[in-house]
Amino acid sequence: MRWLLMAVDGLLMGLVGAVLIAVTPRNQRLGDIVAGTMVVRCPSPADPVT
């Protein structure tokens, strides 16, 4: 389902997906929301560990 919705996210040269990523609290595109997946951010090696 997630990959099928990539066609919707890609409309207008990716604008739909980019807007959804920008406005959703967990930075998810439509496919992620429907599939129940979430974005996990890992610190880069240059970031200090707190």
Side-chain angles (χ1 to χ4, degrees):
M1 188 57 126
R2 188 171 177 257
W3 283 99
L4 292 174
L5 290 170
M6 187 173 277
V8 175
D9 288 331
L11 291 175
L12 301 173
M13 296 187 342
L15 183 61
V16 173
V19 168
L20 283 171
I21 290 169
V23 300
T24 56
R26 294 183 178 164
N27 301 100
Q28 297 169 296
R29 61 181 186 82
L30 184 60
D32 295 326
I33 295 167
V34 170
T37 60
M38 57 200 282
V39 175
V40 177
R41 299 198 189 279
C42 297
S44 68
D47 290 341
V49 177
T50 56

Coordinates of all heavy atoms in Angstrom, one line a residue:
M1 N 0.8 -1.2 0.0 CA 0.0 0.0 0.0 C 0.9 1.3 0.0 O 0.6 2.2 -0.7 CB -0.9 0.0 1.2 CG -1.9 1.0 1.2 SD -2.9 1.0 -0.3 CE -4.5 0.9 0.4
R2 N 1.9 1.2 0.8 CA 2.8 2.3 0.9 C 3.4 2.7 -0.5 O 3.5 3.9 -0.8 CB 4.0 2.0 1.8 CG 4.9 3.1 2.2 CD 5.8 2.6 3.4 NE 6.7 3.6 3.7 CZ 8.0 3.6 3.3 NH1 8.5 2.6 2.7 NH2 8.7 4.6 3.6
W3 N 3.8 1.7 -1.3 CA 4.4 2.0 -2.6 C 3.4 2.4 -3.6 O 3.7 3.2 -4.5 CB 5.2 0.8 -3.1 CG 6.5 0.7 -2.4 CD1 6.8 -0.1 -1.3 CD2 7.7 1.4 -2.7 NE1 8.1 0.1 -0.9 CE2 8.7 1.0 -1.7 CE3 8.0 2.4 -3.6 CZ2 9.9 1.6 -1.7 CZ3 9.3 2.9 -3.6 CH2 10.2 2.5 -2.6
L4 N 2.1 1.9 -3.5 CA 1.1 2.4 -4.4 C 0.8 3.8 -4.2 O 0.5 4.5 -5.2 CB -0.2 1.5 -4.1 CG -0.1 0.1 -4.5 CD1 -1.4 -0.7 -4.1 CD2 0.1 -0.1 -6.0
L5 N 0.9 4.3 -3.0 CA 0.6 5.7 -2.7 C 1.7 6.7 -3.1 O 1.6 7.9 -3.1 CB 0.2 5.9 -1.3 CG -1.2 5.4 -1.0 CD1 -1.5 5.4 0.5 CD2 -2.3 6.1 -1.7
M6 N 2.8 6.1 -3.5 CA 4.0 6.9 -3.9 C 3.6 7.7 -5.2 O 4.1 8.8 -5.4 CB 5.2 6.1 -4.2 CG 6.4 6.9 -4.5 SD 7.9 6.0 -4.6 CE 8.3 5.9 -2.9
A7 N 2.7 7.1 -6.0 CA 2.2 7.8 -7.2 C 1.5 9.1 -6.8 O 1.6 10.1 -7.4 CB 1.3 6.9 -8.0
V8 N 0.7 9.1 -5.7 CA 0.0 10.3 -5.2 C 1.0 11.3 -4.7 O 1.0 12.5 -4.9 CB -1.0 9.9 -4.2 CG1 -1.7 11.2 -3.6 CG2 -2.1 9.0 -4.7
D9 N 2.0 10.8 -3.9 CA 3.0 11.6 -3.3 C 3.9 12.3 -4.4 O 4.4 13.4 -4.2 CB 3.9 10.8 -2.4 CG 3.2 10.4 -1.1 OD1 2.3 11.2 -0.6 OD2 3.6 9.4 -0.5
G10 N 4.0 11.7 -5.5 CA 4.8 12.2 -6.6 C 4.1 13.2 -7.5 O 4.8 13.7 -8.4
L11 N 2.9 13.4 -7.3 CA 2.2 14.4 -8.1 C 2.8 15.8 -8.1 O 3.3 16.2 -7.0 CB 0.7 14.5 -7.7 CG -0.2 13.2 -8.0 CD1 -1.6 13.4 -7.4 CD2 -0.2 13.0 -9.5
L12 N 2.7 16.4 -9.2 CA 3.3 17.8 -9.3 C 4.8 17.8 -9.0 O 5.2 18.6 -8.2 CB 2.5 18.8 -8.4 CG 1.0 18.9 -8.8 CD1 0.4 19.8 -7.7 CD2 0.8 19.5 -10.2
M13 N 5.5 16.8 -9.5 CA 7.0 16.7 -9.3 C 7.3 16.6 -7.8 O 8.3 17.1 -7.4 CB 7.7 17.9 -9.9 CG 7.5 17.9 -11.4 SD 8.4 19.1 -12.4 CE 9.0 20.3 -11.4
G14 N 6.5 15.8 -7.1 CA 6.8 15.5 -5.7 C 6.3 16.6 -4.7 O 6.6 16.5 -3.5
L15 N 5.6 17.6 -5.2 CA 5.1 18.6 -4.3 C 4.2 18.1 -3.3 O 4.2 18.5 -2.1 CB 4.5 19.7 -5.2 CG 4.0 21.0 -4.4 CD1 5.2 21.6 -3.7 CD2 3.3 21.9 -5.3
V16 N 3.3 17.2 -3.6 CA 2.3 16.7 -2.7 C 3.0 16.0 -1.5 O 2.7 16.3 -0.3 CB 1.3 15.7 -3.3 CG1 0.4 15.0 -2.3 CG2 0.5 16.5 -4.4
G17 N 4.0 15.1 -1.8 CA 4.7 14.4 -0.8 C 5.6 15.4 0.1 O 5.6 15.3 1.3
A18 N 6.2 16.4 -0.6 CA 7.0 17.4 0.2 C 6.1 18.2 1.1 O 6.5 18.4 2.3 CB 7.7 18.3 -0.8
V19 N 4.9 18.6 0.7 CA 4.1 19.4 1.6 C 3.6 18.5 2.7 O 3.6 18.9 3.9 CB 2.8 19.9 0.8 CG1 1.8 20.4 1.7 CG2 3.3 21.0 -0.2
L20 N 3.2 17.2 2.5 CA 2.8 16.4 3.6 C 4.0 16.1 4.6 O 3.7 16.2 5.8 CB 2.3 15.0 3.0 CG 1.0 15.0 2.4 CD1 0.7 13.7 1.7 CD2 -0.1 15.3 3.5
I21 N 5.2 15.9 4.1 CA 6.3 15.8 5.0 C 6.5 17.0 5.8 O 6.8 17.0 7.0 CB 7.6 15.4 4.2 CG1 7.5 14.0 3.6 CG2 8.8 15.6 5.1 CD1 8.5 13.7 2.6
A22 N 6.3 18.2 5.2 CA 6.5 19.5 6.0 C 5.4 19.7 7.0 O 5.7 20.3 8.0 CB 6.6 20.6 5.0
V23 N 4.2 19.3 6.7 CA 3.1 19.7 7.6 C 2.7 18.6 8.6 O 2.0 18.9 9.6 CB 1.9 20.1 6.8 CG1 2.2 21.4 6.0 CG2 1.3 19.0 6.0
T24 N 3.1 17.3 8.4 CA 2.7 16.3 9.4 C 3.7 16.3 10.6 O 4.9 16.6 10.4 CB 2.7 14.9 8.7 OG1 4.0 14.6 8.2 CG2 1.6 14.8 7.7
P25 N 3.1 16.1 11.8 CA 4.0 16.1 13.0 C 5.1 15.2 13.0 O 6.2 15.4 13.6 CB 3.0 15.8 14.1 CG 1.6 15.7 13.5 CD 1.7 15.7 12.0
R26 N 5.0 14.0 12.3 CA 6.1 13.0 12.3 C 6.8 13.0 11.0 O 7.5 12.0 10.7 CB 5.5 11.6 12.6 CG 4.9 11.5 14.0 CD 4.4 10.1 14.2 NE 3.9 10.0 15.5 CZ 3.2 9.0 15.9 NH1 2.8 8.0 15.1 NH2 2.8 8.9 17.2
N27 N 6.6 14.0 10.2 CA 7.3 14.2 8.9 C 7.1 12.9 8.0 O 8.0 12.3 7.4 CB 8.8 14.4 9.1 CG 9.1 15.6 9.9 OD1 9.4 15.5 11.0 ND2 9.0 16.7 9.2
Q28 N 5.8 12.6 7.8 CA 5.4 11.4 7.0 C 4.8 11.8 5.7 O 4.0 12.8 5.7 CB 4.4 10.5 7.8 CG 5.0 10.0 9.1 CD 3.9 9.4 9.9 OE1 3.0 10.1 10.4 NE2 4.0 8.1 10.1
R29 N 5.0 11.0 4.7 CA 4.2 11.2 3.4 C 3.0 10.4 3.5 O 2.8 9.6 4.5 CB 5.1 10.9 2.2 CG 5.6 9.5 2.2 CD 6.4 9.2 0.9 NE 6.8 7.8 0.8 CZ 5.9 6.9 0.3 NH1 4.8 7.2 -0.2 NH2 6.3 5.6 0.3
L30 N 2.1 10.5 2.5 CA 0.8 9.8 2.6 C 1.0 8.3 2.7 O 0.3 7.7 3.5 CB 0.0 10.1 1.3 CG -1.4 9.6 1.3 CD1 -2.2 10.1 2.4 CD2 -2.0 9.9 -0.1
G31 N 1.9 7.7 2.0 CA 2.1 6.3 2.1 C 2.5 5.8 3.5 O 2.1 4.8 4.0
D32 N 3.3 6.6 4.2 CA 3.7 6.3 5.5 C 2.6 6.4 6.5 O 2.4 5.6 7.4 CB 4.8 7.3 6.0 CG 6.1 7.1 5.2 OD1 6.4 6.0 4.8 OD2 6.8 8.1 5.0
I33 N 1.7 7.4 6.3 CA 0.6 7.6 7.2 C -0.4 6.4 7.1 O -0.8 5.8 8.1 CB -0.2 8.9 6.9 CG1 0.7 10.1 7.2 CG2 -1.5 9.0 7.7 CD1 0.3 11.4 6.7
V34 N -0.7 6.0 5.9 CA -1.6 4.9 5.6 C -1.0 3.5 6.1 O -1.7 2.7 6.7 CB -2.0 4.8 4.1 CG1 -2.7 3.5 3.8 CG2 -2.8 6.0 3.7
A35 N 0.3 3.3 5.9 CA 0.9 2.1 6.3 C 1.3 2.0 7.8 O 1.6 1.0 8.3 CB 2.2 1.9 5.5
G36 N 1.2 3.2 8.4 CA 1.5 3.2 9.9 C 3.0 3.2 10.2 O 3.4 2.9 11.3
T37 N 3.8 3.5 9.2 CA 5.2 3.6 9.4 C 5.6 5.0 9.9 O 4.8 5.9 9.8 CB 6.0 3.3 8.1 OG1 5.7 4.2 7.1 CG2 5.8 1.9 7.6
M38 N 6.8 5.1 10.5 CA 7.2 6.5 11.0 C 8.7 6.7 10.6 O 9.5 5.8 10.4 CB 7.0 6.6 12.4 CG 7.6 5.5 13.3 SD 6.9 5.3 14.9 CE 7.5 6.6 15.8
V39 N 9.1 7.9 10.6 CA 10.4 8.4 10.3 C 11.2 8.2 11.6 O 10.8 8.7 12.7 CB 10.5 9.8 9.8 CG1 11.9 10.3 9.6 CG2 9.7 9.9 8.5
V40 N 12.4 7.6 11.6 CA 13.3 7.5 12.7 C 14.5 8.2 12.4 O 15.2 7.9 11.4 CB 13.6 6.0 13.1 CG1 14.5 5.9 14.2 CG2 12.3 5.3 13.4
R41 N 14.9 9.2 13.2 CA 16.1 9.9 13.0 C 17.2 9.4 13.9 O 17.0 9.3 15.1 CB 15.9 11.4 13.2 CG 14.8 12.0 12.3 CD 14.8 13.5 12.2 NE 13.7 14.0 11.6 CZ 13.6 14.1 10.2 NH1 14.5 13.6 9.5 NH2 12.5 14.6 9.7
C42 N 18.4 9.2 13.3 CA 19.6 8.8 14.0 C 20.6 10.0 14.0 O 20.7 10.6 12.9 CB 20.2 7.6 13.4 SG 19.1 6.1 13.5
P43 N 21.3 10.2 15.1 CA 22.3 11.3 15.0 C 23.4 10.9 14.1 O 23.8 9.7 14.0 CB 22.8 11.4 16.5 CG 22.4 10.1 17.1 CD 21.2 9.5 16.4
S44 N 23.9 11.9 13.4 CA 25.1 11.6 12.5 C 26.3 11.5 13.4 O 26.3 12.0 14.5 CB 25.2 12.7 11.5 OG 25.6 13.9 12.2
P45 N 27.4 10.9 12.9 CA 28.6 10.7 13.7 C 29.2 12.0 14.2 O 29.8 12.1 15.2 CB 29.6 10.0 12.7 CG 28.7 9.4 11.7 CD 27.5 10.3 11.6
A46 N 28.9 13.1 13.5 CA 29.4 14.4 13.9 C 28.6 15.1 15.0 O 29.1 16.0 15.7 CB 29.4 15.4 12.7
D47 N 27.4 14.6 15.3 CA 26.5 15.1 16.3 C 27.0 14.6 17.7 O 27.3 13.4 17.9 CB 25.1 14.7 16.2 CG 24.4 15.4 15.0 OD1 25.0 16.4 14.5 OD2 23.4 14.9 14.5
P48 N 27.1 15.5 18.7 CA 27.5 15.0 20.0 C 26.4 14.2 20.7 O 25.2 14.5 20.5 CB 27.7 16.3 20.8 CG 26.9 17.4 20.0 CD 26.9 16.9 18.6
V49 N 26.7 13.2 21.4 CA 25.7 12.4 22.1 C 25.4 13.0 23.4 O 26.3 13.4 24.2 CB 26.3 11.0 22.3 CG1 25.3 10.1 23.1 CG2 26.7 10.3 21.0
T50 N 24.1 13.2 23.7 CA 23.7 13.8 25.0 C 23.2 12.8 25.9 O 22.8 11.8 25.6 CB 22.7 14.9 24.7 OG1 21.6 14.3 24.1 CG2 23.2 16.0 23.9

